[in-house]
Amino acid sequence: MSNHNWEIYPLVLGEADVSKVLDTFWSLSRDQSMVTVPILAWLLVPTFNEEPILVDTGFRDAERCQTVHGLGPHRTKPEWSLRTQLKNHGFTAEEIKKVILTHLHYDHAGGCAEFPNAKFIVQRTELQAAAAPMVSSQLKIGGGALFYDRKDIAELIDPLWPQVHLIEGDTEIAPGVKCVLFQNTHTPGSQAVYVQTEFGTAVILGDIARNVELNINQEIPPGLIYDLEATYRAMIRIKNEADIVLPSHDYDVVKKYRNGLKEGTSVHEN
């Protein structure tokens, strides 16, 4: 194995109250309770001569999540801002030169304007789907755009367009960091980020899976998917290829990895 290892830190940018049925295929669950989940970004810090990378940027505005997208309570705090979270690890937004967007939903692509020097790495199929989502105008939630925030997408198309780097399929972003396309899973162009670490391959999921035990270990796809077969195969592939699975809406992940990955990290442990 090469020495291109990275440290990974979860950054809490907000939280939301959501139903547990989102974790289960077609919402086929008897558990109808609500749970508070974090909105996470991920800071990748190299252990060799390379620049840090950010994965995802959180949501634009907590009130907008409710009024525009018709969702339940969302919250943020000053200490959860992108700049504060980066500062906690010794970085500024200006120092971030690469931002990988797992997908373009409102809670993953809302903070791009914070990064004046960054290249935004996103699958071409994802931007195409986000710009013209296939959705009924009668749907009462999702902002009329299947949870793509029109402001976020407009910002990427212009004025941030010169900073957008569209990729096609699996692409190495830096030594030890690779974007892997899982088309038509959570979204048409969802990608996971495979990261080489001292403790094996960590996979940052975006929302391809939400719950490690249900979605990865038990191979039950989550509730919001485009194609069942594509999603099911993604669960199996990730289970086989990942030593460490990192979903983006799990407080257990925050507690476990707040200070980075540690020796003894369990494979597929939730």
Side-chain angles (χ1 to χ4, degrees), residues 82-119:
L82 271 166
R83 288 182 176 272
T84 299
Q85 288 286 296
L86 287 170
K87 184 179 179 181
N88 291 342
H89 294 278
F91 296 101
T92 67
E94 287 74 17
E95 291 177 288
I96 302 298
K97 303 298 177 59
K98 293 177 182 176
V99 175
I100 299 171
L101 298 169
T102 59
H103 61 297
L104 297 178
H105 277 174
Y106 76 96
D107 53 335
H108 294 259
C112 293
E114 295 282 348
F115 301 96
N117 303 316
K119 177 186 294 184

Side-chain angles (χ1 to χ4, degrees), residues 16 22 25 42 45 59 69 99 105 109 111 118 126 144-145 161 173 189 193 201-202 219 227 244 255 260 264:
L22 290 175
F25 167 58
W42 301 88
V45 179
F59 57 69
H69 295 283
V99 175
H105 277 174
E126 181 67 5
W161 181 247
I173 303 305
V193 184
T201 299
E219 301 172 4
D227 183 290
I244 305 158
K255 294 172 185 175

Side-chain angles (χ1 to χ4, degrees), residues 32 38 162 164 190 197 203 257 261:
Q32 303 294 313
V164 174
S190 279
T197 78
V203 178
Y257 302 123
L261 306 183

